[in-house]
Amino acid sequence: MSESGREPTVLVATSQTGIERDELEVPLKRLRDNGIRVTHAAPGAESVHTFVHDTQPDALIDPDITLASATVSDFDALVVPGGTVNADKLRITKEAVDLARGFAAAGKTVAAICHGPWLLVEADLVRGKTLTSYPSLRTDITNAGGQWVDEEVVRTRDGWTLITSRNPRDLDAFCSAIETELGAK
C-alpha cells in the first residue's frame, strides 16, 4: 500500500505518436502483473501509435484517459516513456508539463526513460538532480542544471523521487525501481 493508504497507482503519459513500443508496453504490463493499478493517459482520446526504434510503426494502444482529466491526487507516480517524437511532443504539451510539475510538487514519484526526461527539462525539474537518459539528452540535462550519468537506473530523492533509465535495454531495472518505490506486492 502507498503512504496514502491506496493501492499504488501509476499514470503513464504519452503523446499520440512516436512512443517507443517497449517503453510503453513493458511498464504497463509488468506493473499491472505485479498488482499496481496503471492508467495510460494521452493528450487526446484517440489511439496511441507505438514505434520500434523510432522508425518502425507498430501497435495501436488506446489510452484510458486524457492528460487533461488526470489529477495528481489520484495517482502515486508518473511514468514517462521515451521515443524521440513522443518526448518532443510531450514537452510542448501544457497538460504534460503541468502534470510533471504537480507530481514533483506533491512529493510523488516521477520516472522517465530514454528521451522521456525532455519533459522534465521543460518542466524545470532536473536542476540539482542526478539522472540518466538516452545519451543525446546529456547536454540538455546539463544545461538545465542536472547532473547526467551513464547508468542503467538512477534514483534521486530530494523532496520527491526521480527514477530515470537510458533506453529499452534498461527496462527491467527501470520497472524494478518503480515497483520498489511503490512497494509492489
Side-chain angles (χ1 to χ4, degrees):
M1 289 273 236
S2 69
E3 291 177 14
S4 65
R6 296 182 285 125
E7 286 294 317
T9 54
V10 176
L11 173 68
V12 177
T14 61
S15 70
Q16 297 311 127
T17 189
I19 297 97
E20 185 65 36
R21 178 198 63 203
D22 289 348
E23 293 173 8
L24 175 60
E25 290 183 351
V26 170
L28 282 173
K29 181 177 181 346
R30 178 153 163 197
L31 296 173
R32 286 175 176 159
D33 287 351
N34 285 303
I36 297 173
R37 289 184 294 148
V38 181
T39 301
H40 172 207
E46 48 288 326
S47 296
V48 170
H49 200 166
T50 65
F51 284 73
V52 177
H53 306 300
D54 280 334
T55 59
Q56 303 163 22
D58 198 62
L60 291 173
I61 300 174
D62 292 330
D64 300 311
I65 63 173
T66 64
L67 290 173
S69 65
T71 305
V72 172
S73 62
D74 289 339
F75 301 96
D76 295 316
L78 171 66
V79 178
V80 184
T84 308
V85 174
N86 173 59
D88 193 50
K89 286 183 176 185
L90 280 180
R91 70 182 177 164
I92 61 169
T93 301
K94 181 182 181 332
E95 294 87 359
V97 174
D98 289 347
L99 271 175
R101 287 179 179 148
F103 274 85
K108 297 187 176 191
T109 299
V110 177
I113 189 167
C114 201
H115 286 81
W118 260 342
L119 174 62
L120 309 180
V121 167
E122 185 66 31
D124 195 24
L125 296 176
V126 302
R127 188 172 315 284
K129 300 280 188 185
T130 299
L131 64 153
T132 194
S133 66
Y134 193 76
S136 65
L137 274 66
R138 179 182 188 160
T139 301
D140 296 332
I141 289 168
T142 302
N143 287 343
Q147 179 182 349
W148 188 89
V149 295
D150 185 11
E151 296 178 17
E152 182 179 49
V153 66
V154 177
R155 187 177 320 171
T156 303
R157 291 186 178 105
D158 180 23
W160 57 283
T161 300
L162 174 60
I163 299 168
T164 53
S165 285
R166 302 170 298 193
N167 57 56
R169 290 186 305 275
D170 297 338
L171 277 165
D172 187 53
F174 182 68
C175 291
S176 291
I178 296 167
E179 290 166 346
T180 297
E181 196 62 36
L182 295 177
K185 297 176 187 177

